[in-house]
Amino acid sequence: MQPQPHIPPATADAAISAALESQRVKKNRGSYNCGRCGQPKKGHVCHLPPLDVPSTPIATEPVSCIPAAASSSRSTVLSITAAPSRQSVTHLRRALSFDDLDPPNSHDESDLDAASTDLDLQLDTDIVQPGRFHAVALWEVLKRLPPSGLLMAARVCKGWRETARKMWKVAEELRIRVPERAQIGYIGSLLQKCPRLINLSLKIESDLDATILACIAFSCPNLEVLEIATSGAAVNRISGDELGRFVSNKRGLKSLKMEGCSNLGGFALSSSSLSTLWLADLHSLSKMIFNCPKLTEISLEFSRNEDDSTDLVTMVNGLGRTCTRLQKIHIASLKLSHSVVLALTAVNFRDLIMLSLVLGINISDASVAAISSSYTNLELLDLSGSSISDTGLGMICDVLPDTLTKLLVALCPNITSSGIQFATAQLPLLELMDCGMTVSDPNSDNPSTKTPQKASGYNQKMFIKHKRLKKLSLWGCSSLDALFLNCPELKDLNLNSCSNLQPESLVLQCPKLQIVYASGCQGLLTGAIRKQISENSAIGENHMPRKRLADASKRIQAPNLLYQEAREDDNYPRKRRKLDREVCTIIH
């Protein structure tokens, strides 16, 4: 049983308002029927037990993270949107959460009055007595309401109010978008309604300080997962000492993710339960002490200011002394250098399977050699924004052919199409590859400024044949003019801003291709993509003739020989079932 999407707030508010109006018209004499079995109260003795409330939710993930049900026939989407500006291409996606990212604008969030909050609830309906059916239906309806709708529903009648109170009481996951006008007291009262809350996600548009942390600590004693995101002009004023006290006091906290951490200054985190830590927008930290023996995943994103004075070498050495169980490391900073890589390899995390060092312009092929010699079990390697070349890719292929499944080398100007082809050929387990802005000409926006050196490498060709590759990103590869893909498992292809790619030089032999991004490309290229996707879909269809059984009950697949014999019979039906073909649509 999967959670269902919320009822739209407008519809829910209108229905509840109508119910409230009807309650005002009637005289307040109470119900004439039993609240348990529905029989008239007069002369009635109810033997049914009180209505019980479920205590354990069954949803394994929040509602907004569950995709809509897929249709019976697979469809291919060709997405053509406005080309992103050159300034926005430097915002790289987090490698550790690459597979967890929701599509942009996948769920619209409103303010706290109509917040998209998830209450994952379950009612035991395996054995439903006739008198309890109305309670089951009410529960199923109310659990789809946002918090504002649930609060209004509690005003309809005593039964609804009691049901809403029990729903708040058993909620284990809550996600709220807090607008600027919301008061901290209202947030605290909302959290106090959920004593069993385990997972809390806040998106705050106003300035926040330690008062938020104190409110969460007091209202959520069983909290295990906390996410705090900032939006707009919101400023996170939480200091490092305040964050350290919160983490040490919440002994059951397992995951902490926080944005806008520019005012921490320094911190000392001590926890015996924390396993996941994400901190973003860090800047000029004087100290970073991690005393978290169970920490397995860490993500530290620093601001992109040149005046950042954080000592990353000291930070890595500290992680090696106290966090020996680390499996996933993500660091994004302009201060990343070869010395940081040497410190990381000297620590030698035994269980490390994911390493992401982003925006390290001083990371070179020598750094790749150090990583390859120390960590031979990596499944994900992200060196986007570095200065590695085709030689570094060769080192990666020599050491990690049996383990590496995800390779991200976007914004690496020293990598050529030959290096990408070699990497895909030597990494048989590769499922995801991001090499955006690698095969690109920095002067492509201004043809008059092209130099002879750039012009010699402007027209590059790429031939990729891979059996397991599922996602390939070539965004911003403006020097690419020919592309041949023979990838039977490829489902996602990004060709955004491949402005020099010629339609007659594009070959897509990818029968499972579902999504193609082609913003900033030629109009003829999008037509060629659509045509080839349709042809691949038609080839993938099963055109085996079908034969109706003697009783005309259903059709079965018939071999070619049987089909030839059946054609001699005049009574053989000539109608064949038409198979649904995949549709290539354009999203404007």
Side-chain angles (χ1 to χ4, degrees):
M1 173 180 177
Q2 291 187 352
Q4 300 297 324
H6 294 312
I7 296 175
T11 305
D13 294 347
I16 296 172
S17 300
L20 285 172
E21 187 65 24
S22 64
Q23 289 294 323
R24 297 190 188 98
V25 174
K26 296 179 180 180
K27 294 182 179 180
N28 189 13
R29 293 183 177 178
S31 177
Y32 290 96
N33 296 329
C34 178
R36 300 179 184 178
C37 63
Q39 299 297 325
K41 287 183 177 180
K42 186 176 181 180
H44 167 68
V45 178
C46 185
H47 300 285
L48 293 180
L51 291 178
D52 297 329
V53 180
S55 59
T56 306
I58 60 172
T60 58
E61 53 186 345
V63 173
S64 61
C65 296
I66 299 178
S71 59
S72 58
S73 60
R74 178 173 57 88
S75 62
T76 304
V77 177
L78 174 60
S79 177
I80 306 175
T81 57
S85 60
R86 182 57 60 93
Q87 289 78 5
S88 63
V89 298
T90 58
H91 293 279
L92 304 176
R93 64 174 53 173
R94 184 192 304 270
L96 301 185
S97 61
F98 191 93
D99 294 334
D100 301 329
L101 285 176
D102 294 332
N105 300 327
S106 61
H107 54 279
D108 187 16
E109 297 174 334
S110 55
D111 55 17
L112 188 59
D113 295 333
S116 57
T117 302
D118 300 323
L119 299 175
D120 293 338
L121 306 173
Q122 175 193 5
L123 187 61
D124 188 2
T125 57
D126 295 336
I127 302 177
V128 181
Q129 301 178 8
R132 290 191 175 188
F133 180 78
H134 69 284
V136 175
L138 178 62
W139 188 278
E140 290 296 327
V141 171
L142 293 185
K143 78 176 185 179
R144 291 166 171 80
L145 297 179
S148 59
L150 196 58
L151 292 175
M152 292 183 62
R155 299 164 51 193
V156 172
C157 62
K158 182 178 179 180
W160 285 37
R161 180 167 63 253
E162 186 66 18
T163 304
R165 184 186 65 82
K166 294 176 180 179
M167 293 182 68
W168 286 109
K169 190 175 181 179
V170 300
E172 294 188 355
E173 181 172 354
L174 184 64
R175 300 196 303 171
I176 311 175
R177 178 175 175 263
V178 185
E180 186 175 358
R181 64 178 182 274
Q183 300 294 329
I184 184 64
Y186 186 70
I187 301 175
S189 64
L190 192 62
L191 295 180
Q192 289 179 8
K193 295 177 179 290
C194 311
R196 297 184 182 180
L197 202 62
I198 295 177
N199 191 330
L200 176 62
S201 177
L202 300 176
K203 186 173 183 180
I204 303 179
E205 296 182 351
S206 59
D207 296 350
L208 67 151
D209 51 19
T211 310
I212 292 286
L213 295 181
C215 179
I216 295 173
F218 177 77
S219 305
C220 308
N222 302 319
L223 193 65
E224 295 181 1
V225 179
L226 174 61
E227 298 182 16
I228 299 179
T230 58
S231 63
V235 178
N236 187 345
R237 303 187 187 280
I238 298 176
S239 65
D241 296 336
E242 294 166 345
L243 181 62
R245 285 194 296 269
F246 174 80
V247 172
S248 61
N249 293 333
K250 299 297 294 183
R251 298 182 179 180
L253 190 64
K254 296 181 180 179
S255 176
L256 174 62
K257 301 179 182 180
M258 183 180 296
E259 295 180 354
C261 303
S262 57
N263 294 316
L264 289 183
F267 56 82
L269 301 182
S270 178
S271 174
S272 59
S273 60
L274 193 65
S275 60
T276 301
L277 177 65
W278 288 14
L279 299 177
D281 304 318
L282 299 169
H283 180 71
S284 297
L285 298 180
S286 58
K287 64 174 181 178
M288 283 179 288
I289 300 176
F290 302 91
N291 186 14
C292 306
K294 291 187 178 181
L295 195 66
T296 59
E297 178 177 348
I298 187 171
S299 173
L300 302 174
E301 292 192 355
F302 292 83
S303 62
R304 302 182 185 182
N305 298 331
E306 297 290 343
D307 58 347
D308 188 6
S309 59
T310 305
D311 189 352
L312 297 181
V313 176
T314 303
M315 179 199 71
V316 171
N317 292 332
L319 285 174
R321 289 191 297 267
T322 58
C323 306
T324 57
R325 297 185 181 181
L326 276 176
Q327 299 178 5
K328 303 177 182 179
I329 298 178
H330 171 80
I331 302 175
S333 174
L334 297 176
K335 296 295 182 179
L336 284 171
S337 61
H338 182 61
S339 59
V340 177
V341 175
L342 292 179
L344 189 63
T345 55
V347 172
N348 192 16
F349 296 103
R350 298 180 180 179
D351 301 328
L352 192 66
I353 58 175
M354 293 186 180
L355 179 60
S356 174
L357 303 177
V358 180
L359 300 178
I361 191 64
N362 294 321
I363 294 179
S364 60
D365 292 339
S367 305
V368 176
I371 295 173
S372 302
S373 61
S374 300
Y375 301 109
T376 58
N377 296 320
L378 291 178
E379 298 177 4
L380 182 149
L381 180 60
D382 186 358
L383 298 176
S384 300
S386 64
S387 299
I388 67 172
S389 63
D390 294 348
T391 303
L393 286 181
M395 298 179 188
I396 296 173
C397 297
D398 292 339
V399 179
L400 304 172
D402 299 328
T403 60
L404 197 65
T405 60
K406 298 178 179 64
L407 178 61
L408 296 91
V409 288
L411 288 171
C412 296
N414 297 330
I415 293 179
T416 64
S417 59
S418 300
I420 297 174
Q421 292 176 166
F422 179 79
T424 54
Q426 298 298 318
L427 298 173
L429 302 181
L430 198 63
E431 296 181 358
L432 182 151
M433 187 166 188
D434 184 1
C435 42
M437 291 294 293
T438 52
V439 187
S440 62
D441 183 8
N443 298 321
S444 59
D445 293 338
N446 189 3
S448 61
T449 60
K450 292 178 182 178
T451 60
Q453 292 80 3
K454 289 293 181 180
S456 61
Y458 183 69
N459 296 324
Q460 299 191 37
K461 297 173 174 49
M462 189 177 299
F463 301 86
I464 297 179
K465 184 178 181 180
H466 203 282
K467 295 182 179 180
R468 301 188 61 174
L469 192 64
K470 297 180 179 179
K471 294 183 179 181
L472 176 62
S473 179
L474 299 172
W475 59 273
C477 292
S478 57
S479 295
L480 192 66
D481 72 331
L483 177 63
F484 174 85
L485 296 180
N486 185 356
C487 305
E489 297 296 326
L490 190 66
K491 297 180 180 180
D492 192 313
L493 176 61
N494 192 334
L495 298 177
N496 286 341
S497 301
C498 292
S499 54
N500 197 42
L501 189 59
Q502 303 300 318
E504 62 274 8
S505 302
L506 176 67
V507 178
L508 300 177
Q509 297 181 0
C510 311
K512 294 185 179 181
L513 193 59
Q514 297 179 1
I515 301 176
V516 178
Y517 301 94
S519 65
C521 298
Q522 305 178 28
L524 295 177
L525 180 63
T526 59
I529 295 174
R530 184 189 300 108
K531 180 179 179 181
Q532 294 193 33
I533 290 177
S534 302
E535 292 175 353
N536 291 337
S537 302
I539 293 175
E541 291 179 354
N542 187 359
H543 292 285
M544 182 76 71
R546 296 179 179 267
K547 179 178 182 296
R548 188 181 296 276
L549 293 178
D551 58 355
S553 59
K554 57 183 177 180
R555 298 170 183 241
I556 59 173
Q557 261 188 345
N560 292 332
L561 180 61
L562 182 60
Y563 176 65
Q564 293 176 0
E565 295 176 356
R567 286 185 61 87
E568 298 176 358
D569 188 0
D570 296 334
N571 296 328
Y572 180 77
R574 297 184 177 275
K575 294 183 179 180
R576 303 179 184 178
R577 186 171 63 181
K578 296 182 180 180
L579 301 178
D580 294 335
R581 298 198 175 189
E582 298 173 349
V583 181
C584 180
T585 59
I586 300 180
I587 298 179
H588 294 282

